[in-house]
Amino acid sequence: MTEHPVAVGRNDPCPCGSGKRYKQCHGAIGEAPPNIVEPLSPEALTRKGIAAHEAGNLDAAERIYREVLATSPNFSAALHYLGVIFYQYRRLEEALPLLDRAVALTPREPEFHNNRGLVLAAAQRDVDAIAAYRIALSLKPEHAGALNNLGLSLHATGDVEGAIAAYRSGLALAPDFPQLHWNLALALLLQGDYAEGWSEYEWRLKAPELASSLHAFDGPRWAGDDPAGRTLLLTAEQGLGDALQNLRFARHLADRGARVVAAVPAPLRALATTAPGVTSACTADDALPPYDAHVSLMSLPGVLGITPERAAVPFPYLRVDAARRRDATAHIEREAGPALKIGVAWAGAPGYRQDSRRSMSLAAFAPLLEIPGTRWFSLKREGEALTVADAPAAARLAALDMRNDFDGLAALVDALDLVISVDTSIAHLAGALAKPVWVLLPHVPDWRWMLNRTDSPWYPTARLFRQQAPGDWTHPLHEIGIALRALTAMR
């Protein structure tokens, strides 16, 4: 902040704030008057807030924006960027009114409409978000970021073709925009277009959201050349479900003469060693054994040219520890007796960006828990994903301690008659173990579950139950109730 000295007359009030005249205060002792700091304009102060914001200092930026609004409550830029901070904090109900006011005050600023669309999308108001992005693009047609965001909301409403068109339009403007490529890949894979989808999917490795969390591995990356006689390190990324899904492809490499080592998250280490073709398993933080090349498990389907028809392998392709399986069976039998033994996972990891779309409350399952001839087991860890409203339903679940570590959870899943899960790693675990698994899917699911199918090319024992409208679990839960009653009637 720049200070500006101001000339003070002898009979003027002293700038020090004493209340005396200057000649009777600092002037009397021969001192120069203290400098007066002129306040920054709202524009300059907001620029200072934006600089703090861009540097990642959200607390400082918030204080500065509030300082601007204290004296200029209708200064649209400060309103807007304070709303953006609330969006970053996931305080959507506070963010949206600020962004609405900013748009009303400055309706021709495209970025204001674009960011307002992000908040609407985060609140699962995708139709409104689409309208906001289209206004942004009408003001700035070359806005590749708005095209990317438009594609995401079109995708979320089920307009996958429209989403693909938006991504392609964005890439025509910004061909090196990694998020556009990555999102295009997810839309193509959802449609079953694996040929182009896998190629576009490799752009995820350049997206800052993923690249910053990836472990760096030394040595060359395997690109599909002859692996015979070589040791290949298969590396995990993203979630546990992704690794569980793609460990099946280790056998493709072993069949071609490779020695395969899997570097996976610690919870999967024991299970990974049971995948056909895997010689040994470690974690990325272990001292890695010698290897000739590495490849991500998420890149492996593209390198191998996997199609939906080639996704299936002999099942199960993972096995649980026999002793833990026996222990799980004994505990389950004591709890359930002759009843149908069902494990339930009603929510995924809350840190996942789309978790609010795929997860539900346990309370929503309450009517199913009352079906005669069933006994239900929690597949979530102690206290995980439970709310006060869930307490009555939780009281009807058997909660075995073994669910709190992943190998115990795997034994529990393997000993049950049926697993019912939202789209989380437990669905992949059950599928890999060839257990009957009923998967509850949002209106537009993750790419691997594809569109309009009740079965899965990835997991032959899976049965898919889909929302008919975004956010509405009524239909799939009703269908599961019908299916459960039919299943218990046959026992």
Side-chain angles (χ1 to χ4, degrees), residues 91-105:
R91 290 156 57 181
L92 305 182
E93 292 182 357
E94 296 172 80
L96 191 56
L98 294 169
L99 298 177
D100 287 345
R101 285 175 59 196
V103 162
L105 290 163

Side-chain angles (χ1 to χ4, degrees), residues 98-285:
L98 294 169
L99 298 177
D100 287 345
R101 285 175 59 196
V103 162
L105 290 163
T106 311
R108 297 199 60 77
E109 171 50 58
E111 204 59 50
F112 285 13
H113 293 280
N114 180 57
N115 287 340
R116 180 173 175 271
L118 290 175
V119 176
L120 290 165
Q124 299 190 37
R125 292 174 53 185
D126 287 288
V127 172
D128 295 328
I130 289 167
Y133 298 137
R134 293 201 187 281
I135 295 173
L137 288 163
S138 71
L139 297 168
K140 186 179 179 181
E142 71 278 13
H143 196 321
L147 282 164
N148 180 64
N149 297 334
L150 173 63
L152 288 170
S153 282
L154 289 168
H155 188 133
T157 63
D159 185 1
V160 182
E161 288 290 349
I164 290 172
Y167 299 140
R168 293 198 191 281
S169 294
L171 289 170
L173 297 167
D176 294 325
F177 195 151
Q179 289 90 343
L180 278 165
H181 285 282
W182 190 7
N183 291 327
L184 173 61
L186 298 177
L188 292 169
L189 292 171
L190 180 63
Q191 288 190 322
D193 184 352
Y194 283 19
E196 185 182 5
W198 293 133
S199 174
E200 292 292 323
Y201 193 63
E202 288 305 287
W203 279 85
R204 77 194 186 284
L205 301 174
K206 297 182 180 180
E209 306 93 304
L210 181 61
S212 62
S213 65
L214 291 178
H215 187 98
F217 292 92
D218 296 330
R221 186 168 175 267
W222 186 64
D225 49 308
D226 185 5
R230 304 168 71 192
T231 297
L232 298 184
L233 182 71
L234 303 187
T235 64
E237 62 175 82
Q238 302 182 56
L240 298 181
D242 300 286
L244 288 166
Q245 180 183 9
N246 286 346
L247 277 166
R248 71 184 70 201
F249 297 124
R251 67 184 305 134
H252 289 250
L253 305 179
D255 289 346
R256 293 170 60 183
R259 180 179 180 273
V260 179
V261 177
V264 295
L268 301 186
R269 183 171 182 172
L271 275 173
T273 62
T274 71
V278 172
T279 302
S280 63
C282 59
T283 74
D285 296 324

Side-chain angles (χ1 to χ4, degrees), residues 27-51:
I29 58 177
E31 292 184 10
N35 291 338
I36 296 176
V37 178
E38 293 182 355
L40 293 177
S41 67
E43 293 84 354
L45 197 53
T46 300
R47 285 196 296 272
K48 184 179 177 183
I50 292 171

Side-chain angles (χ1 to χ4, degrees), residues 302-314:
V303 176
L304 295 173
I306 296 300
T307 63
E309 295 71 29
R310 295 188 62 212
V313 295

Side-chain angles (χ1 to χ4, degrees), residues 197-441:
W198 293 133
S199 174
E200 292 292 323
Y201 193 63
E202 288 305 287
W203 279 85
R204 77 194 186 284
L205 301 174
K206 297 182 180 180
E209 306 93 304
L210 181 61
S212 62
S213 65
L214 291 178
H215 187 98
F217 292 92
D218 296 330
R221 186 168 175 267
W222 186 64
D225 49 308
D226 185 5
R230 304 168 71 192
T231 297
L232 298 184
L233 182 71
L234 303 187
T235 64
E237 62 175 82
Q238 302 182 56
L240 298 181
D242 300 286
L244 288 166
Q245 180 183 9
N246 286 346
L247 277 166
R248 71 184 70 201
F249 297 124
R251 67 184 305 134
H252 289 250
L253 305 179
D255 289 346
R256 293 170 60 183
R259 180 179 180 273
V260 179
V261 177
V264 295
L268 301 186
R269 183 171 182 172
L271 275 173
T273 62
T274 71
V278 172
T279 302
S280 63
C282 59
T283 74
D285 296 324
D286 291 338
L288 298 175
Y291 60 89
D292 298 299
H294 62 87
V295 61
S296 168
L297 282 164
M298 299 306 292
S299 293
L300 200 51
V303 176
L304 295 173
I306 296 300
T307 63
E309 295 71 29
R310 295 188 62 212
V313 295
F315 284 81
Y317 62 86
L318 297 178
R319 300 187 309 278
V320 303
D321 177 79
R324 298 207 72 172
R325 172 63 157 77
R326 288 192 296 271
D327 185 43
T329 300
H331 280 86
I332 290 170
E333 290 295 334
R334 282 196 294 271
E335 284 282 348
L340 184 69
K341 304 159 187 67
I342 308 169
V344 60
W346 61 93
Y352 175 57
R353 184 172 58 89
Q354 298 291 336
D355 185 61
S356 62
R357 296 182 188 269
R358 67 168 179 176
S359 295
M360 69 177 75
S361 68
L362 177 59
F365 272 89
L368 299 179
L369 306 183
E370 304 292 336
I371 293 176
T374 64
R375 184 65 170 115
W376 295 75
F377 294 80
S378 173
L379 299 180
K380 301 297 289 177
R381 288 177 297 182
E382 187 72 39
E384 188 179 37
L386 283 171
T387 67
V388 173
D390 293 328
R396 296 190 57 80
L397 296 181
L400 302 181
D401 288 343
M402 65 179 56
R403 77 194 193 283
N404 291 314
D405 73 89
F406 208 84
D407 291 326
L409 177 67
L412 178 58
V413 165
D414 200 40
L416 291 166
D417 296 320
L418 171 67
V419 169
I420 300 177
S421 176
V422 296
D423 181 11
T424 186
S425 60
I426 291 169
H428 293 276
L429 175 63
L433 294 172
K435 299 301 297 185
V437 55
W438 295 357
V439 188
L440 284 148
L441 295 176

